[in-house]
């Protein structure tokens, strides 16, 4: 599957490929919507029989009334099951795409997270509503026109003829809506990226008293999004007006023809003479001919929203084949090689320059040196958190970019571990989704994290001290089932006794893994297979 990276590329193949795994459910939902023609025709027939039998009394009207009730019940059941199957299809596709977006984030893909999240939700309407009604819109009107032809070929011809401007109106407004939807989503992506960037830089913004300028930037971005959204809504209202006009016009033409035919007042000779039953049946079917197309028009914006989101989603996703290849590559202790690596943050001097290092499979390497020489940056480069300005990183002889990144497939403990609201146990288990309670407890004990694992934490780690937060990160690294272990200052701020216990734990955790440790500790360096001073 080829990812799209530009709005100029056609999003339709990406949407088809994303829905291929659940295509059966999607086709079933479409078939249920298309079967709506059966109760629609039955209701029109029941209404006609009831009207024709009205002079004969309630007994003669009973079959028509029973047919109408049965048609209404069947129509409700079909609509319900079509909605259920469409929702199931959309949920499965969104789950699959969301997993690929998360894999892309761990692989270092650059895409606005907020826009990617909105893009996943934009797929819902496409698969739950648009795709099912598209099949019905292609078949149901022709089937109903064919049924109308049995009663009145001329009225069926009127219905068929008026479908042409109806379809042209949908095509023209749909084309205009597509461009505006893409521009609206681009404005959303720009605004979300700007807002996230300014929030991250908030301390610097306050320090340099740039609050007013930043607020103006965000206001301009919000205003642009507002204008784009208003244009999309204007086109949506215009398209609804066009479709309602042609729908009402067609029904009016059929009504005029049937009425004048019944009264024998047609200004031209007609090859047919209608009775009340045939005329009313055609008139009752006429609105149903356009109902599938009106449902398609109502859901057309869902399609445009999904297509507008595809470039962002495709840029954020890691494709399944890349993920599988990388997982297979890391199934054993990999060799890691840094060739001519240069890491530079912005316009500052390089943190590392022309750095070479080869780490053999299963080797434990300690990176030492004074603060600021690039120990942490080297580890960050491996997981996509530091920019590689020059050179390359090879995993088992393959460039890092070929295998889709390592962030989601390494055991990592940094100096400032992320905390999510919830229990300590749940925070540790983030490293291994299906870990048992005993495995989580063992990892916590190995990292020296004592106390109640059911303690609740907020997003700032409230409830744990600084040392306990560092141990939380170590517990995650020990729990993670990975063949690469990266530790950044694992024994910082520990006393001699605690450091000795932690070193023994690290030594056991590093068995069967290729390990890189950034440290100032001579005791940690002493247990490493190799010490590299930067």
């Amino acid at each position: 599957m080829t990812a799209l990276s530009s709005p100029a590329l056609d999003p339709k193949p990406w949407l088809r490929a994303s829905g291929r795994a659940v295509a059966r459910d999607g086709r079933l939902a479409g078939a249920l919507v298309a079967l709506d023609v059966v109760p629609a025709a039955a209701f029109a027939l029941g209404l006609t029989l009831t009207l024709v039998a009205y002079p004969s009394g309630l007994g003669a009207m009973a079959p028509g009334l029973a047919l109408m009730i049965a048609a209404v019940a069947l129509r409700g059941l079909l609509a319900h099951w079509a909605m259920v199957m469409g929702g199931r299809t959309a949920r499965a596709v969104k789950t699959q795409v969301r997993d690929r977006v998360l894999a892309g984030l761990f692989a270092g893909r650059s895409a606005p997270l907020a826009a990617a999240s909105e893009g996943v939700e934009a797929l819902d309407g496409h698969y739950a509503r648009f795709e099912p009604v598209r099949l019905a819109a292609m078949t149901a009107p022709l089937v109903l026109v064919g049924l109308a032809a049995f009663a009145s070929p001329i009225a069926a011809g009127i219905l068929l003829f008026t479908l042409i401007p109806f379809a042209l109106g949908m095509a023209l407004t749909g084309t205009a809506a597509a461009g505006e939807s893409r521009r609206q989503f681009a404005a959303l992506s720009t605004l979300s990226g700007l807002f996230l960037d300014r929030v991250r830089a908030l301390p610097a913004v306050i320090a340099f008293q740039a609050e007013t300028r930043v607020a103006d930037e965000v206001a301009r971005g919000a205003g642009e999004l507002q204008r784009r959204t208003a244009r999309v809504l204007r086109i949506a209202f215009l398209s609804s007006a066009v479709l309602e006009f042609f729908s009402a016009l067609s029904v009016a033409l059929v009504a005029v023809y049937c009425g004048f035919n019944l009264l024998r007042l047609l200004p031209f000779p007609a090859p047919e003479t209608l009775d009340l039953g045939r005329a009313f049946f055609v008139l009752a079917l006429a609105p149903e001919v356009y109902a599938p197309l009106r449902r398609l028009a109502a859901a057309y914006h869902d399609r445009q929203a999904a297509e507008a989101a595809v470039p962002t989603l495709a840029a954020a996703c890691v494709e399944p084949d890349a993920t599988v290849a990388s997982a297979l590559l890391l199934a054993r202790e990999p060799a890691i090689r840094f060739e001519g690596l240069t890491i530079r943050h912005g316009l500052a001097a390089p943190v590392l320059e022309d750095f070479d290092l080869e780490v053999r499979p299963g080797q434990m390497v300690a990176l030492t040196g004074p603060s600021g020489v690039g120990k942490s940056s080297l580890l960050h480069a491996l997981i996509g958190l530091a920019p590689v300005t020059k050179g390359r990183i090879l995993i088992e002889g393959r460039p890092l970019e070929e295998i889709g990144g390592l962030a989601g497939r390494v055991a990592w403990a940094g100096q400032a571990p992320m905390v999510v609201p919830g229990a300590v146990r749940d925070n540790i288990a983030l490293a291994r989704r299906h870990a048992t309670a005993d495995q989580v407890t063992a990892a916590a004990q190995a990292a020296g994290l004592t106390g109640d694992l059911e303690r609740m934490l907020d997003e700032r780690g409230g409830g744990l001290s600084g040392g306990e937060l560092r141990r939380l990160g170590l517990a995650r690294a020990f729990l993670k089932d990975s063949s690469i272990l990266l530790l950044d200052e694992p024994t910082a701020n520990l006393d001699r006794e605690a450091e000795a216990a932690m070193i023994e734990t690290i030594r056991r955790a590093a068995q069967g893994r290729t390990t890189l440790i950034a440290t100032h500790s001579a005791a940690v360096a002493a247990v490493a297979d190799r010490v590299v001073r930067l």
Side-chain angles (χ1 to χ4, degrees):
M1 191 189 307
T2 302
L4 304 177
S5 57
S6 169
L9 297 180
D10 188 2
K12 296 181 181 63
W14 193 93
L15 290 171
R16 284 196 298 270
S18 296
R20 190 170 295 137
V22 288
R24 180 176 174 275
D25 288 345
R27 286 193 296 269
L28 181 56
L32 289 171
V33 176
L35 283 174
D36 183 68
V37 298
V38 175
F43 185 85
L45 180 59
L47 188 60
T48 301
L49 293 176
T50 302
L51 180 66
V52 171
Y54 177 76
S56 302
L58 186 60
M61 295 167 59
L65 291 172
L67 184 58
M68 290 169 60
I69 294 172
V72 170
L74 178 59
R75 197 166 203 177
L77 287 174
L78 288 174
H80 170 73
W81 284 110
M83 181 177 65
V84 169
M85 296 307 300
R88 182 184 300 176
T89 302
R91 183 169 59 250
V93 172
K94 289 195 300 179
T95 299
Q96 177 199 50
V97 173
R98 190 177 287 112
D99 288 344
R100 289 161 55 198
V101 168
L102 289 174
L105 291 174
F106 284 123
R109 292 293 180 91
S110 58
L113 178 57
S117 176
E118 292 286 341
V120 172
E121 291 305 317
L123 300 178
D124 186 87
H126 177 80
Y127 293 101
R129 292 182 290 274
F130 177 78
E131 286 293 340
V133 301
R134 183 172 64 172
L135 175 61
M138 291 187 295
T139 58
L142 298 179
V143 172
L144 292 171
V145 169
L147 291 175
F150 285 102
S152 172
I154 293 181
I158 294 174
L159 292 172
L160 190 62
F161 178 77
T162 53
L163 283 176
I164 297 174
F166 195 97
L168 288 176
M170 285 185 62
L172 291 174
T173 55
T175 301
E180 290 298 339
S181 293
R182 285 194 294 269
R183 286 186 280 273
Q184 180 205 26
F185 199 84
L188 173 63
S189 300
T190 301
L191 179 61
S192 62
L194 174 66
F195 187 77
L196 181 61
D197 179 67
R198 296 303 181 265
V199 168
R200 286 173 174 170
L202 197 56
V205 170
I206 295 174
F208 289 96
Q209 298 180 347
E211 299 95 326
T212 302
R213 182 171 63 83
V214 169
D216 290 342
E217 289 179 352
V218 175
R220 284 195 296 271
E224 179 65 16
L225 178 60
Q226 180 186 24
R227 287 189 292 274
R228 297 295 184 188
T229 303
R231 290 178 184 176
V232 172
L233 292 176
R234 278 200 298 269
I235 293 175
F237 290 135
L238 175 63
S239 64
S240 296
V242 169
L243 299 180
E244 291 296 333
F245 171 78
F246 283 113
S247 175
L249 178 63
S250 64
V251 174
L253 289 175
V254 171
V256 168
Y257 168 75
C258 291
F260 275 75
N261 193 303
L262 285 173
L263 296 173
R264 310 295 184 258
L265 296 176
L266 286 172
F268 55 85
E272 61 182 4
T273 300
L274 298 179
D275 55 27
L276 179 61
R278 292 166 60 195
F280 195 83
F281 178 71
V282 170
L283 191 59
L285 274 185
E288 297 295 341
V289 171
Y290 295 92
L293 294 173
R294 292 165 74 180
R295 285 195 292 264
L296 180 66
Y300 200 78
H301 179 69
D302 293 321
R303 178 192 182 183
Q304 300 299 343
E307 290 185 351
V310 164
T312 298
L313 291 176
C317 284
V318 165
E319 303 304 331
D321 52 352
T323 303
V324 171
S326 184
L328 291 175
L329 177 66
L330 299 182
R332 60 186 183 85
E333 306 166 14
I336 303 174
R337 182 176 179 83
F338 303 91
E339 291 186 351
L341 196 70
T342 297
I343 299 175
R344 182 196 302 270
H345 298 280
L347 300 177
V351 178
L352 279 177
E353 190 169 12
D354 295 328
F355 177 78
D356 293 297
L357 175 64
E358 183 172 359
V359 183
R360 295 191 300 274
Q363 191 175 40
M364 182 193 297
V365 175
L367 305 172
T368 66
S371 299
V373 297
K375 301 186 299 298
S376 297
S377 295
L378 189 63
L379 300 184
H380 290 167
L382 264 174
I383 56 177
L385 297 181
V388 177
T389 309
K390 190 177 71 171
R392 59 179 184 166
I393 302 173
L394 304 175
I395 310 296
E396 287 291 282
R398 292 180 59 186
L400 183 60
E401 56 270 17
E402 278 188 14
I403 62 174
L406 294 179
R409 291 174 288 280
V410 300
W412 157 260
Q415 297 186 38
M418 181 194 72
V419 178
V420 297
V424 175
R425 179 182 300 279
D426 296 332
N427 270 271
I428 298 173
L430 289 175
R432 191 172 174 183
R433 184 181 302 176
H434 304 296
T436 66
D438 290 341
Q439 289 172 328
V440 174
T441 301
Q445 292 174 347
L449 188 60
T450 59
D452 183 14
L453 296 185
E454 304 303 329
R455 282 176 291 175
M456 299 302 293
L457 307 177
D458 58 24
E459 64 275 5
R460 295 185 178 88
L464 294 180
S465 66
E468 286 177 321
L469 283 173
R470 191 180 292 266
R471 291 178 187 276
L472 174 65
L474 290 169
R476 286 176 180 163
F478 297 156
L479 180 64
K480 185 70 176 285
D481 184 14
S482 173
S483 55
I484 295 179
L485 177 63
L486 305 179
L487 303 177
D488 192 2
E489 300 290 353
T491 62
N493 304 320
L494 297 181
D495 58 39
R496 183 171 301 178
E497 183 178 348
E499 182 183 45
M502 180 61 68
I503 290 173
E504 179 58 25
T505 300
I506 292 172
R507 189 183 61 78
R508 291 197 305 269
Q511 291 178 0
R513 300 182 179 188
T514 301
T515 305
L516 287 172
I517 306 174
T519 182
H520 286 96
S521 170
V524 173
V527 299
D529 301 317
R530 182 180 175 189
V531 178
V532 177
R533 184 171 180 82
L534 302 182

